[in-house]
Amino acid sequence: MTTPRAPHPVLDRYYRRDEERRPFVIGLFDASALYYDRLCGVMSLGSGQWYRRWTLDRLGLRPGMTLLDVATGTGLVARAAARILRDPRAVVGLDPSAGMLREARKTVAGPLVQGQVEDLPFADAHFDVLTIGYALRHAADLEVAFRECRRVLKPGGRMLVLEISRPASAGRRRLIRSYFMYVLPAIMALTTRNRHATMLSRYYWDTIATCVAPEIIKDALARSGFVDVGRRVFGGLLSEYTATRPEGVWGS
Ligand SMILES: C[S@@+](CC[C@H](N)C(=O)[O-])C[C@H]1O[C@@H](n2cnc3c(N)ncnc32)[C@H](O)[C@@H]1O
């Protein structure tokens, strides 16, 4: 059996062909950008920003470093990073959605660039740290994405991928599914009256439910030239993948 290159198959409830995935995803985030922070706040019961900052701290992010936040969205990871670095200019945010970048501009003081993970508009060996927060599921090809991430990291640079993973136990899976498919959409429908914000929650779950296994993500990281590939899981749901661009031959 061949290893899938995309993080999840075509989801024909939303779009029919692989070529339609990217326009669909960007359109969905454009249309729900105004409500994204509210969705995250409800989803994480208000702990999301604290958690993002804690993961960056544990990764070893320190003042003096530079960070690229891929799929920055409204800038939640970028903001957490800027607080640690005490310098908003040290954090560059990248996202393909003009709507998300418009929202990010309201609170992110550093540079924001329109682009996608598969084709990063930066020179080789440019950043100390690279983050992808809850967005890997939207990439078209895991290895293409990871190779680009490795390219723009300095040798020895660290990458952090935050993801929500499908819980292993069937009971937990049913519970989380109900939350994403019914509770969260109901809250979003009531508070935003925006059908895209409501759909985003359901789409979120469908991509989590159909996402490739964590081992495939770790394999893709290793095949893309990363070392020290690791994964930590919190509450059976929150995954943190970490990886390092090696020094030396691979890193050059
Ligand atoms: C769920 S939001 C994550 C935002 C933020 N990182 C966070 O921690 O909340 C996913 C983001 O991924 C972006 N995205 C989708 N496809 C992408 C791609 N191919 N490359 C980079 N970003 C992408 C979307 O536009 C959206 O802003």
Side-chain angles (χ1 to χ4, degrees), residues 22 65 100 119 177 179 190 208 214:
R22 180 165 296 158
M65 293 180 170
M100 294 296 260
D119 185 17
R177 179 180 185 280
Y179 186 63
L190 270 174
I208 294 166

PDB file of all heavy atoms in Angstrom, residues 22 65 100 119 177 179 190 208 214:
ATOM      1  N   ARG A  22      -8.006  23.209  -2.129  1.00  0.00           N
ATOM      2  CA  ARG A  22      -7.392  24.488  -1.728  1.00  0.00           C
ATOM      3  C   ARG A  22      -8.375  25.666  -1.822  1.00  0.00           C
ATOM      4  O   ARG A  22      -8.542  26.388  -0.843  1.00  0.00           O
ATOM      5  CB  ARG A  22      -6.129  24.741  -2.558  1.00  0.00           C
ATOM      6  CG  ARG A  22      -5.436  26.047  -2.187  1.00  0.00           C
ATOM      7  CD  ARG A  22      -4.045  26.115  -2.732  1.00  0.00           C
ATOM      8  NE  ARG A  22      -3.207  25.085  -2.161  1.00  0.00           N
ATOM      9  CZ  ARG A  22      -2.085  24.630  -2.725  1.00  0.00           C
ATOM     10  NH1 ARG A  22      -1.692  25.100  -3.872  1.00  0.00           N
ATOM     11  NH2 ARG A  22      -1.369  23.717  -2.112  1.00  0.00           N
ATOM     12  N   MET A  65      15.627  35.108  19.053  1.00  0.00           N
ATOM     13  CA  MET A  65      15.365  34.181  17.944  1.00  0.00           C
ATOM     14  C   MET A  65      14.372  34.810  16.955  1.00  0.00           C
ATOM     15  O   MET A  65      13.686  35.773  17.278  1.00  0.00           O
ATOM     16  CB  MET A  65      14.750  32.876  18.478  1.00  0.00           C
ATOM     17  CG  MET A  65      15.695  32.057  19.323  1.00  0.00           C
ATOM     18  SD  MET A  65      14.835  30.562  19.883  1.00  0.00           S
ATOM     19  CE  MET A  65      16.207  29.654  20.567  1.00  0.00           C
ATOM     20  N   MET A 100      -8.266  35.914   6.790  1.00  0.00           N
ATOM     21  CA  MET A 100      -7.582  35.630   8.059  1.00  0.00           C
ATOM     22  C   MET A 100      -6.475  36.666   8.283  1.00  0.00           C
ATOM     23  O   MET A 100      -6.299  37.172   9.404  1.00  0.00           O
ATOM     24  CB  MET A 100      -7.007  34.213   8.071  1.00  0.00           C
ATOM     25  CG  MET A 100      -8.044  33.110   8.044  1.00  0.00           C
ATOM     26  SD  MET A 100      -9.108  33.057   9.513  1.00  0.00           S
ATOM     27  CE  MET A 100      -8.369  31.745  10.455  1.00  0.00           C
ATOM     28  N   ASP A 119       4.978  26.349  -0.681  1.00  0.00           N
ATOM     29  CA  ASP A 119       5.828  27.199  -1.509  1.00  0.00           C
ATOM     30  C   ASP A 119       6.136  28.477  -0.705  1.00  0.00           C
ATOM     31  O   ASP A 119       5.550  29.526  -0.957  1.00  0.00           O
ATOM     32  CB  ASP A 119       5.062  27.526  -2.813  1.00  0.00           C
ATOM     33  CG  ASP A 119       5.903  28.314  -3.786  1.00  0.00           C
ATOM     34  OD1 ASP A 119       7.132  28.344  -3.626  1.00  0.00           O
ATOM     35  OD2 ASP A 119       5.318  28.914  -4.719  1.00  0.00           O
ATOM     36  N   ARG A 177     -16.644  14.026  18.861  1.00  0.00           N
ATOM     37  CA  ARG A 177     -17.375  14.211  17.594  1.00  0.00           C
ATOM     38  C   ARG A 177     -18.665  14.989  17.842  1.00  0.00           C
ATOM     39  O   ARG A 177     -18.979  15.930  17.113  1.00  0.00           O
ATOM     40  CB  ARG A 177     -17.692  12.843  16.972  1.00  0.00           C
ATOM     41  CG  ARG A 177     -18.459  12.945  15.683  1.00  0.00           C
ATOM     42  CD  ARG A 177     -18.773  11.598  15.063  1.00  0.00           C
ATOM     43  NE  ARG A 177     -19.400  11.780  13.765  1.00  0.00           N
ATOM     44  CZ  ARG A 177     -20.677  12.062  13.588  1.00  0.00           C
ATOM     45  NH1 ARG A 177     -21.492  12.171  14.624  1.00  0.00           N
ATOM     46  NH2 ARG A 177     -21.170  12.246  12.371  1.00  0.00           N
ATOM     47  N   TYR A 179     -19.302  17.056  20.161  1.00  0.00           N
ATOM     48  CA  TYR A 179     -18.973  18.440  20.492  1.00  0.00           C
ATOM     49  C   TYR A 179     -18.728  19.255  19.218  1.00  0.00           C
ATOM     50  O   TYR A 179     -19.323  20.318  19.024  1.00  0.00           O
ATOM     51  CB  TYR A 179     -17.738  18.462  21.403  1.00  0.00           C
ATOM     52  CG  TYR A 179     -17.401  19.845  21.908  1.00  0.00           C
ATOM     53  CD1 TYR A 179     -18.286  20.533  22.723  1.00  0.00           C
ATOM     54  CD2 TYR A 179     -16.212  20.466  21.556  1.00  0.00           C
ATOM     55  CE1 TYR A 179     -17.988  21.810  23.172  1.00  0.00           C
ATOM     56  CE2 TYR A 179     -15.907  21.736  22.006  1.00  0.00           C
ATOM     57  CZ  TYR A 179     -16.800  22.400  22.814  1.00  0.00           C
ATOM     58  OH  TYR A 179     -16.513  23.662  23.248  1.00  0.00           O
ATOM     59  N   LEU A 190     -25.847  30.307  16.865  1.00  0.00           N
ATOM     60  CA  LEU A 190     -26.581  31.234  17.724  1.00  0.00           C
ATOM     61  C   LEU A 190     -25.868  32.568  17.888  1.00  0.00           C
ATOM     62  O   LEU A 190     -26.486  33.630  17.892  1.00  0.00           O
ATOM     63  CB  LEU A 190     -26.741  30.613  19.121  1.00  0.00           C
ATOM     64  CG  LEU A 190     -27.978  29.767  19.332  1.00  0.00           C
ATOM     65  CD1 LEU A 190     -27.907  29.108  20.710  1.00  0.00           C
ATOM     66  CD2 LEU A 190     -29.222  30.645  19.237  1.00  0.00           C
ATOM     67  N   ILE A 208     -10.243  16.012  11.104  1.00  0.00           N
ATOM     68  CA  ILE A 208      -9.590  15.286  12.214  1.00  0.00           C
ATOM     69  C   ILE A 208      -9.910  13.793  12.088  1.00  0.00           C
ATOM     70  O   ILE A 208      -9.034  12.935  12.195  1.00  0.00           O
ATOM     71  CB  ILE A 208     -10.074  15.817  13.585  1.00  0.00           C
ATOM     72  CG1 ILE A 208      -9.625  17.260  13.799  1.00  0.00           C
ATOM     73  CG2 ILE A 208      -9.567  14.931  14.730  1.00  0.00           C
ATOM     74  CD1 ILE A 208     -10.332  17.971  14.945  1.00  0.00           C
ATOM     75  N   PRO A 214      -0.763   9.469  13.249  1.00  0.00           N
ATOM     76  CA  PRO A 214       0.432  10.221  13.687  1.00  0.00           C
ATOM     77  C   PRO A 214       1.740   9.619  13.175  1.00  0.00           C
ATOM     78  O   PRO A 214       2.675  10.349  12.857  1.00  0.00           O
ATOM     79  CB  PRO A 214       0.342  10.136  15.209  1.00  0.00           C
ATOM     80  CG  PRO A 214      -1.120  10.005  15.485  1.00  0.00           C
ATOM     81  CD  PRO A 214      -1.684   9.206  14.364  1.00  0.00           C
TER      82      PRO A 214
END
